Amino acid sequence: MQPDPFKRLEARTLVVRQSNIDTDQIIPARFLTTTTREGLGKSAFYDWRYTGDDQPKNASPFPVAGAGERQVLVAGPNFGCGSSREHAPWALLDYGFRAVVSSDIADIFKSNALKNGLLPVEVDAETHAALLERPGVAIAIDLEECTLTTEDGIAASFTVEPFARRCLLDGVDPLGHILAHDAQIAEYEAAA
């Protein structure tokens, strides 16, 4: 399954100010019994969304029904820290997020997110602080230009590793990128 191409996203934000949100908070380990992506959104931030007897928590910032129009998660610094698990970006994508914005995103989470079609956007501290104060703001993330803008005037640029950016723009994972060049690879191997 290849990710959808990511060129420009216009959505609203869901803000969670907490720092050090680790992968076990994103998707608790007890839900890691599958090797497929489908259905993991129902377990995203499960312990934040539900009580011990599986009842929705009224104070949760995460709607039970999913992200809806709030497809950009703005989170506190050091987002995605902890153990490496592809299930974390899978769960966020299945929940409805297309991008995560923070001032600091853990490297291994960032790598897993990029390979699976979730855009991790690191912004400067000033932009991050402004976004944290504007839950629900309309936001546009343009991957072709590597810019982030909001309806009320916030503007920032960001960087994405070039190969990962190309894969996101094309809607392929790294293996899909290689397979797209199968004819050229076969031609090269035949000539060798």
Side-chain angles (χ1 to χ4, degrees):
M1 185 172 120
Q2 295 297 313
D4 292 330
F6 192 122
K7 296 186 185 327
R8 181 177 171 87
L9 172 65
E10 294 181 5
R12 294 204 171 268
T13 62
L14 189 149
V15 172
V16 179
R17 291 178 176 84
Q18 182 171 326
S19 301
N20 305 311
I21 296 174
D22 64 33
T23 54
D24 197 51
Q25 292 174 63
I26 296 168
I27 183 160
R30 67 186 178 277
F31 298 112
L32 304 181
T33 57
T34 181
T35 56
T36 62
R37 308 168 190 220
E38 294 79 25
L40 289 176
K42 66 180 183 269
S43 302
F45 290 102
Y46 192 88
D47 294 335
W48 291 35
R49 295 168 51 211
Y50 297 98
T51 64
D53 58 352
D54 300 322
Q55 297 302 309
K57 291 182 180 179
N58 293 331
S60 174
F62 299 98
V64 172
E69 67 177 357
R70 296 175 187 245
Q71 297 175 26
V72 178
L73 175 61
V74 178
N78 200 27
F79 183 83
C81 57
S83 62
S84 169
R85 52 180 75 158
E86 277 189 308
H87 292 74
W90 290 353
L92 293 175
L93 284 163
D94 195 53
Y95 184 76
F97 292 117
R98 294 288 320 273
V100 176
V101 179
S102 183
S103 59
D104 178 41
I105 300 174
D107 287 342
I108 199 151
F109 175 85
K110 191 183 321 176
S111 175
N112 284 335
L114 288 166
K115 290 175 185 169
N116 287 285
L118 179 69
L119 179 61
V121 177
E122 287 184 321
V123 294
D124 61 89
E126 183 179 335
T127 300
H128 185 234
L131 289 170
L132 288 172
E133 296 304 318
R134 291 169 174 80
V137 72
I139 191 168
I141 299 174
D142 189 320
L143 183 57
E144 292 180 306
E145 300 295 324
C146 289
T147 59
L148 172 153
T149 55
T150 66
E151 64 185 346
D152 60 354
I154 296 172
S157 59
F158 59 91
T159 61
V160 177
E161 188 275 320
F163 177 68
R165 181 174 169 270
R166 179 80 269 144
C167 287
L168 284 171
L169 288 167
D170 293 343
V172 295
D173 62 16
L175 181 58
H177 176 80
I178 292 169
L179 292 175
H181 298 283
D182 189 46
Q184 294 97 325
I185 293 168
E187 184 180 312
Y188 173 81
E189 288 177 339

